[in-house]
């Protein structure tokens, strides 16, 4: 089949002639009698037409020119070829200005029309392929943020794979820049809801009243500016996933309402008397210690447990070892290809500096570092001079490992204490990751930190790092 054509022609004899002629030339053909009827068919994405072939002069409220304009506005990827009377240059020009791909004059020569339609189909498919490749490149670059071979990352990704098909709520934790939204998208894309929408909202980005309206919706007249009904995001995400970023910043006043919505699978829009059911998976994320917030009274414990049915912890980059070099190489290839530069990698000294740096901004910071280095380099390998100053002039490789307490002799319990606190500091106060790296269970680590009087959220606490 050469392509799927939608013919719009009010003249029954002409319509039949076009249908028969194009069918014999291996096109799949559908037809409509009016522009209004054809518009509904053309805008139906499931119909998957390659080209619309329309007459310009048709009875009714919509002309062929207006049809071109409507399709160009709503489906710019769908080419329109128009049929116009011989010598009617003015109407042909009007159709091109309205967005038509090409025009053919009457009386129609089927061979000439076939060539025009074949070009239009090729144009459509080439455009689709370009868009597909762009999406694939963008998706590949984003997936690189979760690439790696470290044990800590593999554990997180394995949990994502195991929980992808579940409807259970997920709480993704990790420092800024570790890829929490990417983890949420991976849960969506790898699960049974992948065909549904993925909707994200940052709970820290708007005031409480506006956030309530965004999440739950409102009815007309619910408040001063509510001039029309608004569907909340929990309902809009029906059949898909709603990602609640920075859930630790959710105002205390909204927490009971979100908890009830998650428990009942229903929401009550602001100002409404009736509830609305929804079917969306909820994934939340935070870079704050929610357990500490619960302890301090800033977050409801019952909501925390409702969100944390499946807990996914993303490790900081400094805890991922040689993943730094793997990611740096992928980013180098990606940005070199995007900029058209022949940069194939980086010098050994660059690798040393990358491994020595602590990456407080995590993978996002590494990505920005390599993008900058590729942009400024003049060689086929990144050199130390291409790195940002703070990384270029940081501690040399191995310096962290070479640091010690000198010849000081201290009790064994003090050595253990210092080692535990150093591990906790390395993981930014994340006790679960620190316990895992130390080979301790969380209860044991918590008990020891109680002995050291370490406050929640403070890796050094009263111990002062000693």
């Amino acid at each position: 089949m050469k392509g799927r054509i939608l013919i719009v022609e009010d003249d029954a004899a002409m319509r039949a002639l076009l249908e028969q002629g194009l069918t014999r030339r291996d096109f799949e053909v559908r037809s409509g009698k009016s522009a209004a009827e054809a518009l509904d068919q053309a805008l139906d994405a499931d119909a998957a037409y390659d080209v619309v072939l329309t007459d310009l002069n048709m009875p009714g409220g919509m002309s062929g020119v207006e049809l071109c304009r409507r399709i160009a506005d709503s489906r710019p990827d769908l080419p329109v070829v128009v049929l116009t009377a011989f010598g009617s240059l003015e109407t042909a020009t009007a159709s091109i200005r309205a967005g038509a791909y090409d025009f053919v004059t009457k009386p129609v020569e089927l061979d000439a029309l076939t060539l025009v339609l074949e070009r239009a189909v090729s144009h459509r498919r080439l455009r689709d392929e370009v868009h597909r490749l762009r999406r694939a490149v963008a998706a590949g670059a984003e997936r690189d943020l979760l690439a790696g071979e470290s044990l800590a990352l593999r554990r997180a990704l394995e949990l994502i794979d195991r929980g992808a098909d579940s409807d259970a709520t997920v709480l993704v934790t990790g420092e800024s820049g570790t890829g929490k939204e990417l983890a949420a998208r991976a849960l969506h894309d790898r699960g049974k809801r992948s065909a549904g929408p993925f909707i994200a909202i940052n709970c820290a980005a708007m005031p409480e009243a506006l956030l309530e309206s965004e999440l739950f919706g409102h009815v007309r007249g619910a408040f001063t500016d509510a001039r029309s009904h608004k569907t909340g995001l929990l309902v809009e995400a029906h059949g898909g996933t709603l990602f609640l970023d920075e859930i630790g910043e959710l105002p205390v006043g909204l927490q009971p309402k979100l908890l009830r919505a998650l428990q009942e699978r229903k929401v009550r829009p602001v100002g409404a008397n009736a509830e609305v059911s929804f079917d969306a998976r909820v994934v939340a994320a935070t870079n704050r210690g929610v357990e500490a917030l619960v302890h301090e009274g800033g977050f409801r414990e019952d909501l925390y447990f409702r969100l944390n049915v499946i807990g996914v912890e993303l490790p900081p980059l400094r805890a991922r070892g040689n993943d730094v070099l793997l990611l740096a190489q992928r980013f180098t290839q990606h940005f070199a290809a995007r900029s058209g530069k022949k940069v194939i990698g980086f010098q050994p000294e660059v690798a040393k500096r990358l491994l020595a740096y602590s990456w407080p901004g995590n993978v996002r910071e590494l990505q920005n570092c390599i993008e900058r280095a590729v942009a400024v380099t003049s060689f086929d390998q990144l050199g130390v001079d291409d790195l940002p100053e703070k990384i270029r002039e940081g501690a040399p490789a191995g310096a962290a490992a070479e640091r010690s307490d000198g010849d000081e002799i201290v009790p064994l319990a003090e050595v253990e204490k210092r080692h535990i606190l150093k591990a906790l500091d390395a993981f930014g106060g994340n006790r679960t990751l620190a316990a895992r790296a130390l080979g301790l269970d969380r209860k044991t680590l918590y008990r020891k930190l109680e002995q050291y009087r370490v406050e929640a959220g403070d890796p050094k606490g009263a111990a002062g790092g000693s």
Side-chain angles (χ1 to χ4, degrees):
M1 185 184 70
K2 292 181 178 178
R4 196 168 196 215
I5 311 298
L6 173 62
I7 297 174
V8 191
E9 172 61 69
D10 63 305
D11 187 300
M14 175 60 75
R15 190 167 62 247
L17 176 66
L18 292 171
E19 287 180 358
Q20 294 170 10
L22 294 177
T23 300
R24 286 198 302 268
R25 286 164 173 77
D26 297 326
F27 289 100
E28 181 182 343
V29 181
R30 297 288 185 274
S31 62
K33 300 177 183 179
S34 68
E37 175 188 343
L39 182 62
D40 291 337
Q41 296 182 59
L43 299 185
D44 182 0
D46 294 333
Y49 290 110
D50 291 303
V51 184
V52 174
L53 175 64
T54 180
D55 192 9
L56 279 183
N57 300 312
M58 291 181 288
M62 188 186 304
S63 67
V65 172
E66 180 62 20
L67 177 62
C68 288
R69 185 175 294 109
R70 296 277 191 94
I71 292 177
D73 288 343
S74 302
R75 289 286 306 278
D77 60 312
L78 181 59
V80 180
V81 174
V82 300
L83 299 172
T84 183
F86 178 75
S88 183
L89 182 60
E90 184 178 344
T91 54
T93 302
S95 67
I96 296 298
R97 288 175 176 171
Y101 170 77
D102 204 346
F103 66 91
V104 176
T105 58
K106 295 180 179 180
V108 176
E109 287 286 341
L110 281 173
D111 288 340
L113 176 61
T114 298
L115 290 175
V116 172
L117 293 177
E118 286 175 348
R119 287 200 304 268
V121 171
S122 296
H123 173 80
R124 161 77 190 280
R125 292 178 178 174
L126 180 60
R127 182 171 179 169
D128 286 349
E129 180 65 10
V130 169
H131 288 167
R132 186 192 68 79
L133 290 173
R134 285 177 178 171
R135 288 194 300 269
V137 169
E142 288 297 290
R143 281 195 297 270
D144 279 344
L145 296 176
L146 286 179
E149 301 296 334
S150 63
L151 179 61
L153 182 67
R154 288 206 312 270
R155 284 173 172 166
L157 295 180
E158 287 170 4
L159 187 55
I160 287 173
D161 282 332
R162 294 202 304 270
D165 274 332
S166 170
D167 286 330
T169 52
V170 180
L171 181 63
V172 184
T173 56
E175 297 177 6
S176 294
T178 51
K180 294 186 290 297
E181 182 168 349
L182 291 176
R185 286 187 178 274
L187 283 161
H188 174 78
D189 292 339
R190 300 177 189 182
K192 61 187 178 183
R193 294 178 175 269
S194 59
F198 179 91
I199 298 176
I201 183 171
N202 190 321
C203 297
M206 55 188 68
E208 181 173 345
L210 182 56
L211 181 59
E212 181 180 21
S213 175
E214 287 292 314
L215 287 175
F216 307 108
H218 64 251
V219 298
R220 182 178 180 182
F223 46 86
T224 303
D225 293 326
R227 298 185 178 90
S228 62
H229 172 78
K230 176 179 176 58
T231 301
L233 296 183
L234 282 162
V235 176
E236 281 190 19
H238 181 84
T241 302
L242 177 62
F243 175 54
L244 303 176
D245 198 8
E246 301 295 352
I247 192 65
E249 305 297 330
L250 185 70
V252 175
L254 293 185
Q255 292 179 21
K257 190 167 184 177
L258 177 60
L259 174 62
R260 188 176 189 283
L262 294 177
Q263 289 174 333
E264 303 296 330
R265 312 301 294 176
K266 294 179 181 179
V267 296
R268 186 188 297 275
V270 178
N273 296 320
E275 293 182 319
V276 180
S277 298
F278 70 92
D279 176 26
R281 185 183 200 179
V282 173
V283 179
T286 180
N287 60 5
R288 301 185 63 185
V290 182
E291 289 180 344
L293 284 175
V294 171
H295 180 73
E296 296 164 1
F299 202 88
R300 290 179 63 109
E301 185 176 38
D302 47 4
L303 178 57
Y304 168 66
F305 288 132
R306 171 58 61 181
L307 291 169
N308 196 33
V309 176
I310 299 176
V312 176
E313 293 181 85
L314 297 180
L317 186 56
R318 62 182 172 275
R320 292 173 53 183
N322 285 336
D323 280 0
V324 172
L325 301 184
L326 184 151
L327 288 166
Q329 182 62 37
R330 292 197 180 192
F331 291 146
T332 300
Q333 294 170 346
H334 169 72
F335 291 117
R338 197 171 77 175
S339 63
K341 285 190 170 183
K342 294 182 179 180
V343 184
I344 60 174
F346 39 82
Q347 298 172 357
E349 190 59 32
V350 170
K352 293 180 182 179
R353 302 300 173 96
L354 296 179
L355 288 172
Y357 187 62
S358 62
W359 301 108
N362 292 294
V363 182
R364 287 292 185 188
E365 184 181 10
L366 174 62
Q367 184 183 38
N368 293 339
C369 164
I370 299 301
E371 182 178 10
R372 185 255 193 201
V374 170
V376 302
T377 192
S378 301
F379 305 98
D380 61 357
Q381 285 192 322
L382 302 180
V384 172
D385 289 342
D386 300 320
L387 299 175
E389 182 178 358
K390 61 182 177 180
I391 300 172
R392 185 172 66 243
E393 299 182 358
E402 294 169 1
R403 287 195 296 266
S404 69
D405 294 320
D407 296 327
E408 180 186 10
I409 298 176
V410 296
L412 188 59
E414 180 66 18
V415 174
E416 178 189 68
K417 174 182 176 181
R418 294 182 183 184
H419 186 63
I420 288 175
L421 293 177
K422 185 178 293 185
L424 188 64
D425 187 44
F427 285 94
N430 188 311
R431 302 184 179 197
T432 301
L433 291 177
R436 189 174 295 162
L438 291 165
L440 301 174
D441 60 68
R442 289 207 309 169
K443 289 184 179 178
T444 301
L445 178 61
Y446 273 65
R447 187 176 68 252
K448 288 183 178 294
L449 293 178
E450 285 290 331
Q451 295 172 3
Y452 307 152
R453 301 191 305 279
V454 174
E455 299 296 332
D458 179 8
K460 295 181 178 178
S466 62

